[in-house]
Amino acid sequence: MSSGQWAVSGETMLVIKTPGEMQGWAQEQRRAGLRVGLVPTMGYLHAGHLSLVAEARRRCDAVAVSIFVNPVQFGPNEDFEKYPRDEARDLELCRGAGVAAVFLPAPAAMYAPDASVFVVEERLERGLCGARRPGHFRGVCTVVAKLFNLALPDVAVFGQKDFQQAAIICRMVRDLNFPVEVVVAPILREPDGLAMSSRNVYLSGDERQRALGLSRALAGAAEAVAAGPSPADAVRLRMAEVLERHALRVDYAEVVSAETLEPVAQASRGDVALVAAYCGKTRLIDNRVL
Ligand code: AMP
């Protein structure tokens, strides 16, 4: 991409569809001395995503949002095909949030048909969602590494909503020396406590009520350790009971160390409680630092 082709971040939001153009834009911002922020998403944006954009804007001069439903991170029986998409609405929300550029690549532009290099994190991904969704974090790490190489961000903002993902990205950045500062932003919730998620759109009225079981289970875990350390198995059991009482099918209910993501024997302040459960056909996750 020749220099000078891209306007430096200003009033109008650019919509970028190809990797080459994304790199060109990012190089142009950096040449102009601007700090670039990146917020990777799969689209169908909600206030949680926009809070990450606001955080990126506080720290950077030009913020790019990527919207890409990454086929490589979905398992064969997962919801890649029916994952909710609304490009026009997403672009409007990004415009309103002061985003400088939206990167909206087609899958074919991101992966060569014979792509054969992937990024694999080997420790933090062993439990939790990594154990339940084989190959998921290989897809996540690979696409995030690619997005870092395309958007050349100084800062990338991720949500604590995906706690394991954020930990794995931090590890990838450390171990592969990406020159990127990773910021992990808090979980935005609906007024009744449900963590915002693009997948909440799948929930029927009754399921939406039952989905409160996740945040309630986590509140129970926090309560259990409020007075001091508590045997972690009892906390796990208590969380599973709350999920089941809401007619949710438990995928996992765990308490782990925030650093290693290994299960702990005693649940204490600073550990993390995480739940994943099916509400009908929809798999929901949530977590809380105790
Ligand atoms: P997704 O589009 O679901 O892949 O999410 C894109 C980014 O937004 C990830 O870093 C998520 O952790 C983050 N995110 C999703 N939901 C929330 C939420 N409720 N609050 C804050 N961040 C979120």
Side-chain angles (χ1 to χ4, degrees), residues 32-53:
L34 301 183
R35 268 169 76 76
V36 175
L38 173 68
V39 178
T41 81
M42 299 203 298
Y44 212 75
L45 303 180
H46 51 67
H49 294 116
L50 299 180
S51 74
L52 306 189
V53 172

Side-chain angles (χ1 to χ4, degrees), residues 40-43 46 48-49 51-52 83 158-159 161-162 165 186-188 195-196:
T41 81
M42 299 203 298
H46 51 67
H49 294 116
S51 74
L52 306 189
Y83 194 84
F158 293 85
K161 165 78 182 357
D162 298 273
Q165 166 175 284
I187 305 175
L188 243 71
M196 290 183 184

Side-chain angles (χ1 to χ4, degrees), residues 189-233:
R189 298 179 178 281
E190 302 290 352
D192 61 5
L194 178 68
M196 290 183 184
S197 164
S198 305
R199 289 189 168 100
N200 291 348
V201 71
Y202 295 146
L203 303 175
S204 69
D206 167 59
E207 288 172 347
R208 171 67 184 75
Q209 272 310 110
R210 291 196 282 120
L212 290 176
L214 283 94
S215 54
R216 287 178 182 159
L218 297 170
E223 214 173 88
V225 304
S230 181
D233 277 340

Side-chain angles (χ1 to χ4, degrees), residues 3 6 28-29 37 42 69 72 77 116 127 146 153-154 156 184 188-189 209 240 244 247 254-255:
S3 149
W6 295 104
E28 195 65 20
Q29 308 311 302
M42 299 203 298
V69 185
V72 181
N77 299 315
S116 56
K146 288 165 71 72
D154 294 282
V184 182
L188 243 71
R189 298 179 178 281
Q209 272 310 110
E244 278 156 12
E254 252 309 347
V255 186

